[in-house]
């Protein structure tokens, strides 16, 4: 959103410093583009550099699954941005298995590291700076799969469910410090990661009725990365200044909830 102040154009997030994990493609890249369009300065991350990192964003290579990765990202945020006003935890995902008991131990740990503990670790490094400044906004990206947990993805949905619970609890702890914390929960969205996962799922050869890899949503289409990014941008803007601890489900009506 652009407003005119004293005859000159002011972009909504001008002067804000934003960090987005997993911004090299898919939902994360759309969030980065929309933040840049809104005037924010943006640093994004992924395990590998790619030509699809939006132009205009600074980029750091790091694996969010490890404490060392979180530390590298926090150090880059300090060096490049000088602090973080907007923190979007987007990196996530998991590969499906034939059922809960087929998920190897190390995949449970990996799903927890990527989809839950990555946020906990990075928040613990960046929240103190927000507390010092008395302001900040955090968005955790969950998944509508939490609302219909299924065997092939239980490692993923259990980790995202933990993330949602953590996000809500953190919002209560940080509200007195002027920091808002919310969750965005996407439904099936057309991204490189989402498409690859659904293809793997369809190939698992599950019994009829045990996969919805081919379904669509009540609104008749899958989500686009920008559909999810619009929700993130709203939550990080001052238009959402009285919203904390919320979970915005953006899923084309597939899993309606209040
Ligand atoms: N697409 C959907 O249908 C859907 C539905 C519900 C929820 N979501 C959630 O939305 C978020 C984004 O999903 P997406 O579909 O846009 O995924 P995507 O297309 O696979 O993109 C994921 C991004 O995260 C990065 N990433 C993955 N693992 C990482 C790691 N260990 N360390 C650092 N960066 C990592 C990837 O880059 P590198 O691979 O180079 O590291 C990439 O930039 C995820 O949290 C996902 O769970 C997606």
């Amino acid at each position: 959103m652009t407003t005119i102040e004293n005859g000159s154009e002011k972009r909504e997030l001008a002067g804000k410093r934003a960090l987005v994990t997993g911004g090299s493609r898919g939902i994360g890249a759309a969030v980065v583009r929309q933040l840049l369009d809104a005037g924010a300065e943006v640093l994004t991350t992924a395990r590998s550099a790619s030509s699809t990192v939006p132009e205009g964003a600074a980029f750091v290579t790091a694996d969010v699954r490890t404490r060392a990765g979180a530390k590298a990202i926090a150090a880059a945020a300090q060096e490049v941005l000088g602090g973080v006003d907007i923190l979007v935890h987007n990196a996530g995902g998991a590969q499906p298995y034939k059922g809960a008991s087929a998920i190897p131990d190390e995949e449970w740990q990996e799903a927890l590291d990527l989809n839950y503990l990555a946020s906990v670790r990075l928040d613990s490094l960046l929240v103190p700076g927000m507390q010092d400044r008395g302001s900040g906004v955090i968005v955790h990206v969950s998944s509508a799969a939490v609302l219909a947990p299924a065997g092939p993805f239980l490692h993923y949905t259990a980790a995202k469910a933990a993330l949602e619970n953590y996000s809500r609890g953190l919002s209560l702890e940080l509200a007195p410090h002027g920091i808002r914390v919310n969750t965005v929960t996407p439904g099936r969205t057309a991204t490189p990661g989402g498409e690859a996962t659904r293809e793997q799922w369809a190939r698992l050869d599950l019994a009829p009725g045990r996969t919805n890899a081919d379904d669509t949503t009540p609104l008749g289409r899958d989500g686009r990365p920008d559909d999810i990014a619009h929700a993130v941008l709203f939550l990080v803007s001052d238009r959402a200044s009285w919203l904390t601890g919320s979970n915005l489900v953006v899923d084309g009506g597939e899993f309606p909830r209040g």
Side-chain angles (χ1 to χ4, degrees):
M1 188 186 286
T2 302
T3 52
I4 306 291
E5 265 182 30
N6 300 326
S8 60
E9 207 180 70
K10 186 165 187 305
R11 288 193 286 171
E12 187 170 29
L13 299 178
K16 298 289 184 191
R17 303 160 299 179
L19 171 61
V20 180
T21 64
S24 66
R25 58 174 188 262
I27 292 169
V31 171
V32 169
R33 269 191 300 275
Q34 290 195 18
L35 284 166
L36 289 167
D37 286 349
E41 194 182 348
V42 184
L43 169 67
T44 193
T45 81
R47 284 167 301 177
S48 50
S50 114
S51 58
T52 51
V53 176
E55 208 180 314
F59 179 79
V60 60
T61 304
D63 189 335
V64 297
R65 289 172 299 186
T66 65
R67 182 163 287 284
K71 282 185 175 165
I73 293 169
Q78 191 53 42
E79 191 183 320
V80 175
L81 303 174
V84 174
D85 305 303
I86 296 170
L87 174 53
V88 182
H89 296 280
N90 163 76
Q95 77 168 95
Y97 286 84
K98 254 201 142 162
S101 53
I103 302 170
D105 243 23
E106 55 274 20
E107 287 290 329
W108 281 96
Q109 188 58 55
E110 194 154 309
L112 283 169
D113 282 330
L114 177 57
N115 295 289
Y116 170 41
L117 294 172
S119 294
V120 175
R121 293 183 183 125
L122 199 50
D123 284 339
S124 74
L125 294 168
L126 295 175
V127 162
M130 292 180 173
Q131 286 176 310
D132 288 347
R133 289 187 294 280
S135 66
V137 197
I138 300 172
V139 172
H140 297 109
V141 177
S142 182
S143 169
V146 170
L147 301 167
F153 289 104
L154 281 187
H155 52 332
Y156 172 69
T157 55
K160 291 287 198 189
L163 178 70
E164 291 182 14
N165 185 271
Y166 158 79
S167 187
R168 167 85 181 132
L170 191 69
S171 74
L172 299 176
E173 183 183 330
L174 297 183
H177 299 274
I179 301 167
R180 296 188 296 105
V181 185
N182 291 289
T183 299
V184 167
T185 289
R188 46 184 302 144
T189 307
T191 65
E195 298 305 318
T197 305
R198 281 183 282 278
E199 274 166 31
Q200 290 170 342
W201 191 5
R203 279 201 302 270
L204 279 178
D205 196 22
L206 299 174
R210 292 203 49 220
T211 172
N212 71 351
D214 299 325
D215 291 354
T216 186
T217 67
L219 281 179
R221 65 167 175 86
D222 287 357
R224 301 174 186 123
D226 274 331
D227 292 320
I228 313 304
H230 285 307
V232 173
L233 264 280
F234 165 65
L235 285 171
V236 304
S237 76
D238 285 347
R239 285 174 283 150
S241 62
W242 205 48
L243 264 177
T244 200
S246 75
N247 185 348
L248 195 43
V249 180
V250 188
D251 67 347
E254 194 171 3
F255 301 102
R257 99 174 163 179

